[in-house]
Amino acid sequence: MKQKDDRIETIKMLISSKELGSQKEVLDELKKEGFVLTQATLSRDLKQLKVAKAASMNGKYVYVLPNETMYKRVHKPLSARDMIKNPGFLSFNTSGNMAIIKTRPGYASSIAYNIDNSDIPEILGTIAGDDTIFIVMKEGINQTEQFEMLKEWLANM
């Protein structure tokens, strides 16, 4: 079952990051990622994921996932396996008692949820978008302390 789960996640990442218009193109990309499967298996996986075809910006019909906000297209994708291994965190900046965390598309809400449920006393709360988390810290915590605290939390995530 682990291989199927990995394959499904890889398919999601491939469809999200590349304009693939045929099952042959998807099979070729999967092969590059180390997955060799039949067209029938791919067809079942696409049906399970509720993949559809839609016109891209250049008019070509490509595969899309049903919830495009979860897996937005990225312009310079990593390999799908590298994307899966990446926890989603990209960058962190602070200003006063506020902080911004940038994530890969679709990861902000789950990371913000984990921050909110970690009972970090210095954090009052978070607001998450698709790829950005806004954090409000308690007054009196300097930026170096904010950075070190969140860096430690992210390392343990």
Side-chain angles (χ1 to χ4, degrees), residues 119-138:
D119 295 322
I120 302 170
E122 296 86 359
I123 295 179
L124 296 175
T126 65
I127 299 173
D130 183 56
D131 61 359
T132 306
I133 304 168
F134 175 75
I135 302 172
V136 177
M137 306 278 197
K138 286 186 177 176

Side-chain angles (χ1 to χ4, degrees), residues 4 10 16 59-60 68 78 87 90-91 112 120 133 135 143 145:
K4 181 178 180 183
T10 301
S16 298
K60 178 183 173 187
E68 195 58 56
L78 301 168
L90 295 177
S91 67
I120 302 170
I133 304 168
I135 302 172
Q143 291 180 351
E145 290 174 313

Side-chain angles (χ1 to χ4, degrees), residues 14-146:
L14 288 171
I15 289 172
S16 298
S17 62
K18 299 183 181 210
E19 291 192 350
L20 303 172
S22 70
Q23 289 189 3
K24 181 179 180 343
E25 290 175 359
V26 177
L27 285 169
D28 290 344
E29 291 297 325
L30 283 168
K31 190 173 185 178
K32 289 178 191 174
E33 298 292 336
F35 295 96
V36 179
L37 58 144
T38 65
Q39 181 275 328
T41 300
L42 176 61
S43 186
R44 284 189 294 273
D45 289 348
L46 294 176
K47 185 175 182 179
Q48 176 184 334
L49 291 169
K50 297 183 174 129
V51 170
K53 274 196 170 179
S56 67
M57 296 297 273
N58 64 12
K60 178 183 173 187
Y61 278 85
V62 297
Y63 288 114
V64 293
L65 294 164
N67 183 0
E68 195 58 56
T69 60
M70 185 61 187
Y71 291 92
K72 281 190 175 173
R73 291 200 188 284
V74 293
H75 297 291
K76 290 175 104 181
L78 301 168
S79 77
R81 286 188 184 228
D82 288 340
M83 286 186 206
I84 292 168
K85 291 176 190 169
N86 184 329
F89 171 78
L90 295 177
S91 67
F92 171 76
N93 286 300
T94 62
S95 177
N97 70 324
M98 298 172 287
I100 298 291
I101 292 178
K102 289 293 204 172
T103 70
R104 287 188 19 235
Y107 280 75
S109 63
S110 62
I111 292 173
Y113 176 84
N114 289 336
I115 291 170
D116 287 336
N117 288 295
S118 292
D119 295 322
I120 302 170
E122 296 86 359
I123 295 179
L124 296 175
T126 65
I127 299 173
D130 183 56
D131 61 359
T132 306
I133 304 168
F134 175 75
I135 302 172
V136 177
M137 306 278 197
K138 286 186 177 176
E139 289 290 330
I141 300 169
N142 70 41
Q143 291 180 351
T144 303
E145 290 174 313
Q146 289 178 22

